[in-house]
Amino acid sequence: MNSRFTNRHVLVTGGARGIGLEIVRRFCEAGAMVSIFDYNSEALDQTASQLRANGHKVNASVVDVSDQQQVTKAVEAAEQIAPIDVLVNNAGICEVTPFLNIEANEWQKTLDINLTGAFYVAQSVCRYMVQRRTGVVLNMSSKNGLDAELGHAHYNASKAGLILLTKTIAIELARFGVRANAVCPGYVRSPINNDVDSDEFVEEFADRYIPAGRVGTVADVAPVFLFLASDEAAYITGQTFVIDGGQLAGQKPWASLLGSVDS
Ligand code: NAD
C-alpha cells in the first residue's frame, strides 16, 4: 500500500473484472477511494467484497453506462460520497462480425456502450470537475481506434471516436483545469477475449504480430492509468497512449528475415 492517491476519489466504469478490475486494484493500493460502475451485478458484488475484505474503500453501483438516466443518478450519488477527482471510462464490449453482416442493432449497441456511454459519464462528471477547476478523464480506447482490425468495424469505429472525444474534452476543458487522455492497449488477455483466447492462439498471435514477442497483460496496462492520473502528468492532455509491445510501430518481419537484421 502506498499513499500516492490518498484522499482521491476515482471512478472506474467496467471495473468489476478484466483490465478495469486491475485499474481499480492499483488505485486502491495507492490509497484512493474507488467507485465502480458496472452492469454485471454478480461480478461487481464479488469484486467489491474482495477489495473491502482487503481493507480498501470501494463503492459499487450497478449502472449500465449506455443509459443516460442511470449514469446521471449514479454520478450524482458518487459525488455526494466525495468529489470525483479521476474518471476512468473503461466499460466496453467487443463483438466480432464481418462488416457486411453487422445488423443495425449490433452496430448501435457497440456504439452506445463504448462511445456514447463514455460521453454520458464524462459529461456528467466533468460538469462537477469544471466547477472545482480540477479533474482527470482517462478513456479506454484501443489499438483498434488507430488501426483497423477486420471483423471489428463497429468496435474500431467506437474506439476511434473515443480518441477524438478525448481530444475535444482536452481542448475545451483545459482552461478549467481538467485533463483528458486516451489509452490504447493492443491484445490483452482478459475475459473480453474468451471466445478466441488460448495459449496456442496468443503464442501464434504474438509470434506473427508483436515485436515484443508476447501479448499484453492487465499489469502492463493499469500503471499507465495511474501515471496519467497523477500530478506528475499535470502537463499532459489530449494525448493517445499506445500499449502494444510495438505492434503499431511497424510490421513485424518474418522470422526468416530476422537473421539478416539481428546483430
Ligand atoms: P471485460 O469484458 O473483461 O471487462 C469489461 C467490463 O465492462 C465488464 O466488467 C463488463 O461488465 C463492463 N461493461 C460492459 N458493458 C457495460 C455497460 N453497458 N455498463 C457498465 N459496464 C459495462 O473486458 P476488458 O478486456 O477488461 O476490457 C476493458 C476495456 O478495455 C474495454 O473498453 C475494451 O474495449 C478495452 N480494451 C481491451 C483490450 C483487450 O484485448 N482485452 C484491448 C484494448 C482495449
Side-chain angles (χ1 to χ4, degrees), residues 67-139:
D67 181 324
Q68 192 174 21
Q69 272 193 334
Q70 284 187 32
V71 167
T72 310
K73 267 195 185 167
V75 167
E76 211 177 292
E79 274 282 330
Q80 302 266 307
I81 300 170
I84 298 164
D85 300 294
V86 178
L87 163 64
V88 178
N89 258 323
N90 163 78
I93 58 165
C94 180
E95 291 178 334
V96 184
T97 308
F99 167 64
L100 293 178
N101 297 346
I102 298 176
E103 305 268 358
N105 61 352
E106 185 182 331
W107 170 270
Q108 198 57 51
K109 183 172 141 201
T110 300
L111 271 288
D112 283 351
I113 294 175
N114 293 6
L115 183 56
T116 311
F119 159 71
Y120 289 151
V121 186
Q123 190 187 55
S124 202
V125 171
C126 283
R127 286 186 170 138
Y128 293 97
M129 289 179 167
V130 161
Q131 282 172 23
R132 292 192 286 271
R133 297 292 194 266
T134 184
V136 179
V137 176
L138 299 173
N139 289 328

Side-chain angles (χ1 to χ4, degrees), residues 38-237:
D38 205 295
Y39 70 179
N40 181 339
S41 57
E42 209 176 307
L44 184 62
D45 278 353
Q46 207 181 342
T47 290
S49 314
Q50 275 169 7
L51 289 165
R52 286 182 194 128
N54 289 332
H56 299 307
K57 285 171 270 172
V58 173
N59 313 303
S61 308
V62 179
V63 179
D64 179 345
V65 296
S66 66
D67 181 324
Q68 192 174 21
Q69 272 193 334
Q70 284 187 32
V71 167
T72 310
K73 267 195 185 167
V75 167
E76 211 177 292
E79 274 282 330
Q80 302 266 307
I81 300 170
I84 298 164
D85 300 294
V86 178
L87 163 64
V88 178
N89 258 323
N90 163 78
I93 58 165
C94 180
E95 291 178 334
V96 184
T97 308
F99 167 64
L100 293 178
N101 297 346
I102 298 176
E103 305 268 358
N105 61 352
E106 185 182 331
W107 170 270
Q108 198 57 51
K109 183 172 141 201
T110 300
L111 271 288
D112 283 351
I113 294 175
N114 293 6
L115 183 56
T116 311
F119 159 71
Y120 289 151
V121 186
Q123 190 187 55
S124 202
V125 171
C126 283
R127 286 186 170 138
Y128 293 97
M129 289 179 167
V130 161
Q131 282 172 23
R132 292 192 286 271
R133 297 292 194 266
T134 184
V136 179
V137 176
L138 299 173
N139 289 328
M140 178 67 91
S141 179
S142 166
K143 172 207 140 285
N144 291 41
L146 294 162
D147 195 40
E149 182 174 354
L150 53 81
H152 290 71
H154 39 6
Y155 184 76
N156 297 340
S158 72
K159 294 298 185 181
L162 210 40
I163 292 172
L164 264 291
L165 172 65
T166 307
K167 292 187 183 198
T168 314
I169 294 171
I171 61 170
E172 287 198 19
L173 303 190
R175 68 184 193 283
F176 300 112
V178 176
R179 297 189 292 110
N181 290 294
V183 179
C184 298
Y187 188 102
V188 174
R189 294 199 84 166
S190 81
I192 208 170
N193 291 319
N194 274 352
D195 288 352
V196 291
D197 197 82
S198 67
D199 289 345
E200 297 72 44
F201 173 81
V202 295
E203 262 170 46
E204 194 183 334
F205 186 91
D207 189 47
R208 273 201 202 174
Y209 301 117
I210 305 182
R214 65 169 178 84
V215 298
T217 65
V218 294
D220 291 318
V221 176
V224 176
F225 283 82
L226 272 77
F227 167 66
L228 290 172
S230 74
D231 294 340
E232 289 159 321
Y235 199 54
I236 301 177
T237 196

